[in-house]
């Protein structure tokens, strides 16, 4: 399915050698030195693509969750979305990522919060981009546990 109408386009440039280099958005809002994490043989002193993917996915999913809540006339307060992005070999000579999203919606009962998170997973652009390509799990933190 193609985008019906492009609402926004972001651009970035990577120089150096990717995981060991420099990235910046063309508007200058983001700029990072890239370093592989220690687990992948790097110093771990810079930013890595998995961190960038995690913060992007967490923010995008959080926004989708609030959008779904507004459409249902639910007011959300003190919510949070954590994203855990893992990387490892895929058995075919390459690497693959997996994502775990942890959602906190303290004012809703567990089942209702999970249903809202599942609905957000259907509309979130990151979820739609990754669906069927990588493992993504969405769970609601049990605030009463």
């Amino acid at each position: 399915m193609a985008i019906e109408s492009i609402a926004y386009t972001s651009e970035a440039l990577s120089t150096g050698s990717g995981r060991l280099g420099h990235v910046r958005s063309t508007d200058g809002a983001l700029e990072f030195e890239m370093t592989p994490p220690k687990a992948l043989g790097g110093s771990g002193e810079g930013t890595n693509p998995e961190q960038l993917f995690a913060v992007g996915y967490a923010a995008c999913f959080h926004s989708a969750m609030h959008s779904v809540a507004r459409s249902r006339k639910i007011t959300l307060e003190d919510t949070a979305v954590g994203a855990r992005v893992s990387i490892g070999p895929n058995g075919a000579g390459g690497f693959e990522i997996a994502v775990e999203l942890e959602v906190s919606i303290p004012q809703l009962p567990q089942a209702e919060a999970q249903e809202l998170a599942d609905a957000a997973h259907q509309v979130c652009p990151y979820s739609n981009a990754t669906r069927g390509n990588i493992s993504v799990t969405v769970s609601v933190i049990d605030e009463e546990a």
Side-chain angles (χ1 to χ4, degrees):
M1 181 185 297
I3 297 175
E4 290 179 15
S5 175
I6 294 174
Y8 172 75
T9 299
S10 178
E11 296 180 32
L13 178 65
S14 172
T15 57
S17 61
R19 286 185 172 274
L20 188 57
H22 188 84
V23 294
R24 67 177 175 82
S25 60
T26 55
D27 65 3
L30 297 173
E31 190 163 358
F32 300 100
E33 292 300 320
M34 302 298 286
T35 306
K38 288 182 180 182
L40 295 179
S43 70
E45 294 177 3
T47 303
N48 64 65
E50 292 73 36
Q51 291 169 323
L52 296 174
F53 193 79
V55 297
Y57 205 154
C60 190
F61 192 90
H62 203 181
S63 182
M65 192 173 75
H66 277 267
S67 177
V68 169
R70 277 191 306 276
S71 75
R72 296 177 178 190
K73 310 238 184 303
I74 299 170
T75 301
L76 297 180
E77 297 176 7
D78 300 322
T79 60
V81 174
R84 183 177 295 112
V85 175
S86 302
I87 186 170
N90 65 5
F95 286 82
E96 190 168 311
I97 61 172
V99 177
E100 297 172 61
L101 298 172
E102 291 184 340
V103 177
S104 173
I105 309 175
Q107 73 267 30
L108 294 181
Q110 180 79 14
E112 189 177 342
Q114 185 66 57
E115 196 279 325
L116 182 65
D118 291 342
H121 190 42
Q122 296 305 308
V123 300
C124 172
Y126 274 63
S127 293
N128 288 330
T130 59
R131 187 169 287 110
N133 297 311
I134 65 170
S135 171
V136 177
T137 59
V138 179
S139 59
V140 172
I141 298 168
D142 186 356
E143 301 292 332
E144 297 179 9

